[in-house]
Structures are given as structure tokens and as C-alpha cells.
Amino acid sequence: MKKIVKFLVERTTHAEVEIHLDVPEEFLDEDGEVCDEDGLRDWAEENHNWPDQDLTFEEQQSTEVLEVLNVY
């Protein structure tokens, strides 16, 4: 018997973002080159929103069903 099933899913994507940022000096060496990529990544994750228009590339990696919401 065919039914309509409504699911809650979670999608994971990977995307490239290219934007102009004022990089804090704590992540730069004396020549202005990034010397702490891990710290810069953590700072960017905590301090910026990534709007869709800044995506230069996006690829869906996976979809996982979290919950069955309704069946009718």
C-alpha cells in the first residue's frame, strides 16, 4: 500500500567560500602571511555567517533520515 511519508532529514554539504576579511594580526606573521590556519579557521567559524551568495562551490555529501514525522 502506497503512503505519503514525511521525514526530517539532515543534509551535510561541503562548500568553498571566498570573501574579503580583516584578519586579526594574531593569525599573521611579520610578513603578513597567515601563520595559524587552525586559529584563523576557529575564529572565522565563531565570528562570521556564511550567506549563500558567497559560495563559490557547494557539494552535497550526505543525507540522513533523523525522524519519521508523519505517515498518511
Side-chain angles (χ1 to χ4, degrees), residues 55-70:
L55 300 179
T56 58
F57 169 79
E58 183 174 18
E59 179 181 345
Q60 183 176 321
Q61 298 295 311
S62 65
T63 301
E64 179 182 347
V65 176
L66 300 178
E67 182 180 349
V68 175
L69 298 176
N70 202 349

Side-chain angles (χ1 to χ4, degrees), residues 31-43:
D31 296 324
E33 299 295 321
V34 173
C35 63
D36 182 4
E37 288 186 13
D38 291 338
L40 179 58
R41 183 191 64 235
D42 293 342
W43 172 83

Side-chain angles (χ1 to χ4, degrees), residues 1 3-5 11 27 36 52 54 58-59 62 67:
M1 175 184 312
K3 298 263 187 195
I4 296 174
V5 182
R11 287 196 171 153
F27 304 115
D36 182 4
D52 289 341
D54 292 327
E58 183 174 18
E59 179 181 345
S62 65
E67 182 180 349

